[in-house]
Amino acid sequence: MGSFSIVMLVLVALVVFTVFKGVRIVPQGYKWVVQRLGKYSQTLEPGLNLIIPFVDDVAYKVTTKDIVLDIPSQEVITRDNVVIIANAVAYINIVRPDKAVYGIEDYEYGIRNLVQTSLRSIIGEMDLDSALSSRDEIKMKLKHAISEDIADWGITLKTVEIQDINPSQTMQASMEEQAAAERLRRATVTRADGQKQAAILEADGRLEASRRDAEAQVVLARGSEESIRLITNAMGTEEMPIVYLLGEQYIKAIRELAESDNSKMVVLPADILSTVKGMVGDKLKV
């Protein structure tokens, strides 16, 4: 009786274990790939699933969530032979787990290399300026280039984004030097234009000053002429107006000399009229 009980317990345990092996509960967000005697049999969907115990085996557990693949940075040469550093990030989704696990050894490694290769090819056909300013165009071409290839692995490319695309350190240094040289050139041109305008304004100022001086001389000459005419009309002789004007200028000069800081003593001639006449005597005779 005791042996029978033991056998029954063993049979019950075997049945329970067999049932346990045949029942699979797949969590949401995953699909399980089942192999039967080493060969692909089926893909288990989320929820309760039944398989043949000891014959079927869950070989792979594949997520159906979107996977984010970081594409490492790499050096890329543009069409105008400039080295730039570029990296990207790809968002993928596995729609056929059986193709993903049986179609390629490591689909993540394969996609990373595919994106890097396509990125080098796309940027290699562009100039530096286009590569730096055309992220959307690069993204579109990159997505188109790899979507069909990874579709054979049962994977869909949701999107791919260019994270960074920058010139290399050597190129950045060259660009900074070029920018500095351009700023210096503009500053030099601006300074030269300023000096040119200043010189023009200064020359215009001198010209205007000369013109005004000439006009002033004309006005003074006309004033002197009018003074001589009035004095002549008043005195009635040709000699006295000239003597009067020269005497006036002579006295003015003596007064300015007396007011000078360097002057110590000023001696006035006793006969100013004779002195002035002596200055212009010969001319008057002529």
Side-chain angles (χ1 to χ4, degrees), residues 52-63:
I52 300 175
F54 309 109
V55 177
D56 292 342
D57 178 54
V58 177
Y60 302 97
K61 297 179 180 180
V62 181
T63 181

Side-chain angles (χ1 to χ4, degrees), residues 65 75 90 105 116 142 190 197 201 203 213 222 234 266 268:
K65 304 173 186 178
E75 292 186 351
E105 183 68 24
Q116 286 184 314
L142 189 59
T190 301
Q197 293 299 324
L201 292 176
D213 288 342
R222 288 178 179 174
V266 177
L268 294 176

